[in-house]
Amino acid sequence: MKAAFELAGEPRGELGRTSSRRLRKEGKVPAIMYGGGQAPESLVLDHNALSRQMGREAFYTSILTLTVGPKTQQVVVKAVQRHPARPLVMHMDFQRVVEDEEITLHVPIHFIGEANAKGVKEQGGVVDHLMTDVEVTCLPRYLPEYLEIDVTPLELNELYHLSDIKLPEGVSLVALRHGQDHPVVAVNPPRREEVDVVPEAAAEAVSAGEVPATAQTEPAKPAEGD
């Protein structure tokens, strides 16, 4: 069963940067709701109440119930603007949901069986995620929280593409609609760590005492006048 999310907002009167800064100082989040054949509507939401729900992955791929005054509207999250340094939500974009109109949204990919993948367990490889989410198109009632891909059968140097993802009923991938079958996950050989190796001749010279060991690491002195 999909998670149920309910948000409460208020109509926003004043617009502009000054108003937005004041709202944020008051613990509010400026937002906008658009789509559904209606005019865009500026809103204000409580930051703490919003943050608590945003902590769940399903928040971003669920049909949310947004109440503004006496009106209730089904929406999805289309964009989130966050503070670059602090855990603050600066702005939210919501798109109205209409039952018989398709929506386009990014949903996460869940990878199953990574530890038991043949290329990992038997051949010493590592799983590389080439994509972590994918853009889907569907009617609202078919919107998935996430998509799954089982990597257990993958052998070393093999990969899966978008076309290998099993899609739920009524869901299609935007990239595949445009003929783009991108790679999603692969099992590759482990990356070798680069190790600084002292050349054999230099090592012999150090051991013989011909070159002080410290001379190998001392930085060059600047020339006169530098």
Side-chain angles (χ1 to χ4, degrees):
M1 180 181 295
K2 295 198 67 169
F5 295 92
E6 296 185 358
L7 301 173
E10 303 172 2
R12 179 181 174 185
E14 297 181 17
L15 303 178
R17 293 184 179 179
T18 301
S19 172
S20 295
R21 285 196 294 267
R22 176 179 56 79
L23 289 170
R24 294 183 185 114
K25 288 181 180 179
E26 296 173 355
K28 305 293 184 180
V29 179
I32 188 168
M33 177 171 58
Y34 56 82
Q38 303 178 46
E41 184 176 352
S42 296
L43 314 170
V44 179
L45 294 89
D46 180 78
H47 187 279
N48 291 338
L50 181 62
S51 295
R52 284 193 292 270
Q53 305 212 50
M54 292 177 68
R56 301 169 63 185
E57 181 187 62
F59 177 84
Y60 303 92
T61 53
S62 294
I63 306 297
L64 316 176
T65 300
L66 177 57
T67 301
V68 182
K71 298 188 300 181
T72 297
Q73 175 69 54
Q74 304 296 302
V75 299
V76 291
V77 177
K78 290 299 289 185
V80 180
Q81 180 183 345
R82 301 179 186 273
H83 192 280
R86 294 186 290 168
L88 296 175
V89 180
M90 305 293 286
H91 193 275
M92 295 282 293
D93 286 17
F94 297 102
Q95 179 183 332
R96 298 184 184 94
V97 170
V98 179
E99 186 177 355
D100 58 352
E101 291 184 7
E102 285 192 335
I103 56 176
T104 300
L105 209 63
H106 282 269
V107 301
I109 302 171
H110 288 186
F111 299 92
I112 301 172
E114 293 187 56
N116 294 317
K118 187 173 182 180
V120 174
K121 196 171 184 178
E122 300 178 13
Q123 300 166 325
V126 294
V127 175
D128 281 342
H129 298 162
L130 308 177
M131 299 179 70
T132 56
D133 62 74
V134 65
E135 194 173 26
V136 304
T137 294
C138 60
L139 292 173
R141 63 179 175 273
Y142 295 129
L143 180 63
E145 286 185 19
Y146 55 86
L147 297 177
E148 290 184 341
I149 186 165
D150 186 357
V151 301
T152 305
L154 273 184
E155 297 190 21
L156 191 65
N157 296 318
E158 288 187 340
L159 54 82
Y160 281 151
H161 291 81
L162 289 175
S163 57
D164 294 306
I165 299 177
K166 294 181 179 178
L167 299 174
E169 177 189 0
V171 177
S172 62
L173 302 183
V174 173
L176 288 181
R177 283 189 171 186
H178 292 86
Q180 301 169 347
D181 194 7
H182 301 300
V184 176
V185 60
V187 176
N188 294 321
R191 296 182 180 88
R192 295 182 179 180
E193 294 184 2
E194 294 184 4
V195 180
D196 291 332
V197 179
V198 179
E200 184 177 348
E204 291 177 356
V206 171
S207 62
E210 298 174 5
V211 180
T214 54
Q216 305 299 315
T217 57
E218 286 184 359
K221 294 182 180 180
E224 292 292 334
D226 284 359

